[in-house]
Each structure stands twice: as structure tokens, then as C-alpha cells.
Amino acid sequence: MQILEWIRFGAGVGLLLIGLSIFLLELIGVFKFSYVLNRMHAAAMGDTLGIGFSLAGLIIMSGLNFTSLKLFFVIVFLWFSSPA
């Protein structure tokens, strides 16, 4: 049982690191692109993907409980309300 908790923790940390790297790529894209619509697209897609991966990592780390359900609903809300 201890091994499964470490695997779940590792998967959660991995998704959090992927989300952090997407935020970093978004930041680079916002400053590198010269056209304003490209900047807006990089910001919107980076936010959606970065928050999605980060919250998915937190869901995995939290386990199967009411908090993970609320985090899932935050992902769904952000997905539907994203500008891009």
C-alpha cells in the first residue's frame, strides 16, 4: 500500500511539473510573439493547459474525496469559460 501512495505522489508531482513548465512556455511565448493576437492566444492556451495539468496533479495527490471533485469542477468551469 505504501508503494501505491508513492506512485500516486510521483504522478501528481509529475503533472504539477508539467503544468509549471507550460506556464513557463506561456510566459516565453507572451514576450516573444510580436503580434498581439498571438500573445493573447499563447496566454489563453497556456493558462488553460497549465491550470488543467496543475489541478489534475492536485486531484491525483488528494485522492478520491470531495476535494478532488471540487477541483475537477474547477477544471471543467475553466475549460468552458476559457476565451480561446
Side-chain angles (χ1 to χ4, degrees), residues 14-28 46 49-50 53-54:
L15 285 174
L16 281 171
L17 289 175
I18 290 171
L20 184 64
S21 64
I22 289 173
F23 283 134
L24 181 66
L25 288 174
E26 169 198 354
L27 182 70
I28 293 169
L49 281 174
F53 275 111
S54 298

Side-chain angles (χ1 to χ4, degrees), residues 13-73:
V13 167
L15 285 174
L16 281 171
L17 289 175
I18 290 171
L20 184 64
S21 64
I22 289 173
F23 283 134
L24 181 66
L25 288 174
E26 169 198 354
L27 182 70
I28 293 169
V30 167
F31 285 114
K32 277 288 195 190
F33 290 136
S34 59
Y35 188 55
V36 68
L37 294 178
N38 290 341
R39 289 181 181 184
M40 287 173 36
H41 185 72
M45 297 311 289
D47 282 343
T48 304
L49 281 174
I51 290 172
F53 275 111
S54 298
L55 289 178
L58 290 175
I59 287 172
I60 290 175
M61 291 174 75
S62 175
L64 191 60
N65 55 19
F66 189 65
T67 304
S68 61
L69 179 67
K70 289 190 286 186
L71 288 171
F72 175 73
F73 284 140

